[in-house]
């Protein structure tokens, strides 16, 4: 471990050289910055990972069952488990996906589930990311570089090798492939996660394609090679948002979509990873109902707990929120990346009054949660070690079977007073060591 800490600066320089960066749009400008790496890993013991594995597999299986149901029979709505208005008012619900059954009936092939561990030792799910969750590439390359910097560290510690993520991802793409090549579809160089797009394409052996490289002909999707040849595409691991995917089905002004790709998908002639329309399942309001989904679809109690959550949509919850707002955290259900999150404890009396009014006027737009005092992990700062808040994004891959990657993205806040750990909010990341014994 000492060697890795001593090599911290050289590892970060190598990451900069390899382009391990993320982009942020701010004030209509694109800024690219490094994602700072801390050499002290998060360590998860085998029995703890086994518990997380069971809980995460259960959760993702229930979420996939929910998506299959909500775009077909809607039994969970008819049986009164989730209010109908709550589904159809979600920004993530896409009527264009009604009745579409993806290959193998899998909707969320790659799920990014964000967790924190409370100081009581309990793990809590903070949110589910089922659209285009990012971040697996960072611990992958970090492990590669730290292996090079200090091979003895990994010889003396029994750490499960996390460099199999590319193999797991390729197996997912192959499993749902309708006949043809695998493609990673990127909107281009100025996307925030472009490094990851190119890295995962290289590691999985897939083609990294820009939107203009793909075209529809005869209700099939093709990749246009530079020599003018065409190749049939069987799986598209798409890394652009639903609304930009196909200008003929969604936003007509989209310049980064592939016209007609949704018709090919509806016909079963290409697999889209992840499926369009998944946003209805990772809406922060729908999050409230996931334990109910687990019981409804699987007949089981949830293994992993949600953070204690209140829906302003329900009158009883709304009254509780309004009364206790100063101790809660409020989240906009449609925001991501740490945006739209406000802590009641940081508000003035005037701001509290404004928020109470907003929560009353727009109850479907927000959830409120108890603030979980989650654990700090040490990071290296200068010559010292200092504690900082940290979460974990676990990656769960579904291809007929559901598997949890024995690693994950541990993000930490560099601000000692902040609970927000997202890279877009200035955080850094660590490797996550799952011990084999």
């Amino acid at each position: 471990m000492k060697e890795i800490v001593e090599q911290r600066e050289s590892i970060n320089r190598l990451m900069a050289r390899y382009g391990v960066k993320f982009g942020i749009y701010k004030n209509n400008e694109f800024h690219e910055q490094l994602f700072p790496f801390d050499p002290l890993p998060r360590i998860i013991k085998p029995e703890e990972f086994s518990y997380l594995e069971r809980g995460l597999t259960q959760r993702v299986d229930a979420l996939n069952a929910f998506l299959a149901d909500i775009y077909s029979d809607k039994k969970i709505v008819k049986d009164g488990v989730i209010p109908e208005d709550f589904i159809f008012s979600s920004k993530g619900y896409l009527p264009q996906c009604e009745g579409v059954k993806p290959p193998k009936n899998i909707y969320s092939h790659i799920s990014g589930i964000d967790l924190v561990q409370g100081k009581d030792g309990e793990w809590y799910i903070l949110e589910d990311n089922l659209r285009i969750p990012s971040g697996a590439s960072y611990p992958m390359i970090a492990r590669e570089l730290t292996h090079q910097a200090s091979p003895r560290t990994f010889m003396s510690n029994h750490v499960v090798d996390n460099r199999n993520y590319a193999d797991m991802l390729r197996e997912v793409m192959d499993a749902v492939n309708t006949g043809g090549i695998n493609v990673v579809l990127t909107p281009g160089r100025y996307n925030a996660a472009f490094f990851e797009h190119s890295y995962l394409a290289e590691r999985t052996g897939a083609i990294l394609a820009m939107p203009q490289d793909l075209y529809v002909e005869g209700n099939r999707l093709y990749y246009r090679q530079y020599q003018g040849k065409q190749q049939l595409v069987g799986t598209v691991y798409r890394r652009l948002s639903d609304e930009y995917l196909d200008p003929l089905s969604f936003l007509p002004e989209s310049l980064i979509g592939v016209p007609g790709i949704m018709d090919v998908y509806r016909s079963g002639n290409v697999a889209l990873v992840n499926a369009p329309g998944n946003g209805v399942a990772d809406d922060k309001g729908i999050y409230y109902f996931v334990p109910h989904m687990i019981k409804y679809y699987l007949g089981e109690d949830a293994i992993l707990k949600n953070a204690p959550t209140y829906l302003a949509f329900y009158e009883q919850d709304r009254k509780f929120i309004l009364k206790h707002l100063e101790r809660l955290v409020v989240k906009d259900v449609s925001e991501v990346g740490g945006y739209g999150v406000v802590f009641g404890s940081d508000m003035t009396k005037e701001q509290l009054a404004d928020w109470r009014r907003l929560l009353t006027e727009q109850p479907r737009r927000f959830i409120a949660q108890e603030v979980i005092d989650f654990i700090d992990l040490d990071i290296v700062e200068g010559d010292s070690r200092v504690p900082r808040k940290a979460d974990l994004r676990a990656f769960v891959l579904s291809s007929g079977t559901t598997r949890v990657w024995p690693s994950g993205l541990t993000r930490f806040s560099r601000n000692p007073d902040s609970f927000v750990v997202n890279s877009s909010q200035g955080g850094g990341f660590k490797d996550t060591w799952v011990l084999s014994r």
Side-chain angles (χ1 to χ4, degrees):
M1 189 79 72
K2 183 180 177 183
E3 282 184 337
I4 295 177
V5 173
E6 290 173 347
Q7 294 290 329
R8 174 175 60 114
E9 290 186 6
S10 61
I11 291 171
N12 273 290
R13 281 196 298 271
L14 278 173
M15 287 192 179
R17 185 185 303 170
Y18 292 149
V20 185
K21 301 176 182 179
F22 64 92
I24 296 176
Y25 282 98
K26 194 170 185 179
N27 300 324
N28 295 319
E29 293 182 358
F30 178 79
H31 299 276
E32 200 170 49
Q33 62 191 62
L34 295 174
F35 195 8
F37 169 69
D38 182 78
L40 299 174
R42 164 175 247 144
I43 297 176
I44 300 177
K45 294 179 180 179
E47 58 275 14
E48 189 171 28
F49 180 72
S50 179
Y51 165 74
L52 291 173
E53 192 172 32
R54 292 195 307 273
L56 291 164
T57 298
Q58 178 195 60
R59 191 175 183 95
V60 169
D61 284 346
L63 286 163
N64 263 310
F66 167 73
L67 284 162
D69 182 23
I70 218 64
Y71 284 114
S72 58
D73 296 331
K74 302 174 182 58
K75 292 179 181 177
I76 199 167
V77 173
K78 294 172 183 175
D79 289 340
V81 179
I82 301 178
E84 183 177 27
D85 290 348
F86 222 80
I87 299 295
F88 300 127
S89 63
S90 170
K91 289 184 179 179
Y93 169 75
L94 298 180
Q96 298 93 328
C97 296
E98 273 294 333
V100 180
K101 185 176 180 180
K104 293 198 173 181
N105 211 27
I106 300 168
Y107 288 77
S108 187
H109 310 81
I110 302 137
S111 306
I113 311 296
D114 293 344
L115 311 93
V116 293
Q117 187 174 24
K119 289 186 176 176
D120 58 359
E122 190 80 53
W123 286 89
Y124 296 91
I125 304 285
L126 282 190
E127 62 181 58
D128 308 291
N129 300 277
L130 310 181
R131 283 174 271 190
I132 43 175
S134 64
S137 61
Y138 300 112
M140 286 172 67
I141 196 167
R143 184 73 62 87
E144 192 73 50
L145 295 176
T146 51
H147 251 288
Q148 294 173 20
S150 179
R152 284 182 298 182
T153 297
F154 294 91
M155 292 172 64
S156 57
N157 292 280
H158 302 285
V159 184
V160 178
D161 194 339
N162 78 344
R163 292 172 294 178
N164 67 335
Y165 183 82
D167 294 331
M168 293 174 69
L169 179 57
R170 183 171 56 249
E171 287 171 16
V172 167
M173 291 191 286
D174 288 345
V176 296
N177 192 294
T178 60
I181 61 171
N182 294 328
V183 162
V184 176
L185 174 60
T186 176
R189 174 68 184 80
Y190 293 105
N191 182 267
F194 180 75
F195 159 75
E196 176 158 287
H197 306 169
S198 56
Y199 185 71
L200 291 179
E202 177 186 348
R203 293 296 302 273
T204 60
I207 297 291
L208 181 66
M210 304 290 180
Q212 63 270 23
D213 297 329
L214 301 179
Y215 67 97
V216 171
E217 186 176 281
N219 209 27
R220 300 303 296 260
L221 184 68
Y222 292 93
Y223 170 71
R224 182 184 292 107
Q225 295 178 294
Y226 291 112
Q227 304 92 330
K229 296 179 181 178
Q230 66 178 24
Q231 286 183 283
L232 183 65
V233 177
T235 300
V236 176
Y237 177 21
R238 50 100 182 193
R239 297 300 300 258
L240 65 161
S241 300
D242 291 350
E243 62 268 30
Y244 298 109
L245 183 60
D246 184 344
L248 301 182
S249 291
F250 304 117
L251 287 178
E253 60 269 31
S254 172
L255 300 178
I256 56 173
V258 180
I261 192 172
M262 281 298 293
D263 287 337
V264 182
Y265 171 63
R266 291 187 191 101
S267 300
N269 291 335
V270 73
L272 296 180
V273 176
N274 280 340
N278 279 9
V280 69
D282 67 15
D283 179 304
K284 291 183 178 67
I286 296 296
Y287 158 96
Y288 176 93
F289 296 99
V290 177
H292 303 281
M293 292 180 200
I294 293 170
K295 191 72 173 177
Y296 182 79
Y297 293 115
L298 307 182
E300 302 167 358
D301 292 326
I303 296 169
L304 292 168
K305 296 180 180 178
N306 278 9
T309 304
Y310 310 98
L311 288 187
F313 181 82
Y314 290 128
E315 184 179 0
Q316 184 176 349
D317 280 17
R318 185 165 63 251
K319 288 179 179 178
F320 181 90
I321 295 168
L322 298 179
K323 183 178 179 180
H324 300 284
L325 183 58
E326 62 278 357
R327 80 166 205 230
L328 302 173
V329 56
V330 178
K331 298 180 179 180
D332 189 315
V333 300
S334 298
E335 293 283 359
V336 295
Y339 295 101
V341 177
V342 292
F343 289 81
S345 58
D346 294 336
M347 297 182 197
T348 65
K349 286 185 178 180
E350 292 76 14
Q351 288 171 327
L352 285 167
D354 288 341
W355 271 98
R356 288 187 173 101
R357 186 162 47 250
L358 186 59
L359 287 160
T360 302
E361 293 171 354
Q362 301 183 46
R364 173 61 178 88
R365 183 179 166 187
F366 302 99
I367 63 169
Q369 294 177 323
E370 300 284 354
V371 178
I372 296 173
D373 189 11
F374 55 99
I375 64 170
D376 302 278
L377 297 179
D378 280 352
I379 69 167
V380 177
E381 195 169 87
D383 296 326
S384 305
R385 295 188 180 193
V386 295
R388 293 290 184 267
K389 295 297 180 189
D391 77 349
L392 172 66
R393 173 166 290 182
F395 290 89
V396 186
L397 283 75
S398 304
S399 61
T401 58
T402 304
R403 295 189 293 163
V404 181
W405 182 38
S407 185
L409 175 65
T410 293
R411 299 172 296 185
F412 62 87
S413 170
R414 290 194 288 169
N415 179 346
D417 301 317
S418 177
F419 281 68
V420 181
V421 301
N422 301 72
S423 56
S424 55
Q425 305 296 310
F429 82 100
K430 295 173 170 286
D431 194 1
T432 304
W433 287 8
V434 174
L435 301 185
S436 58
R437 57 177 172 156

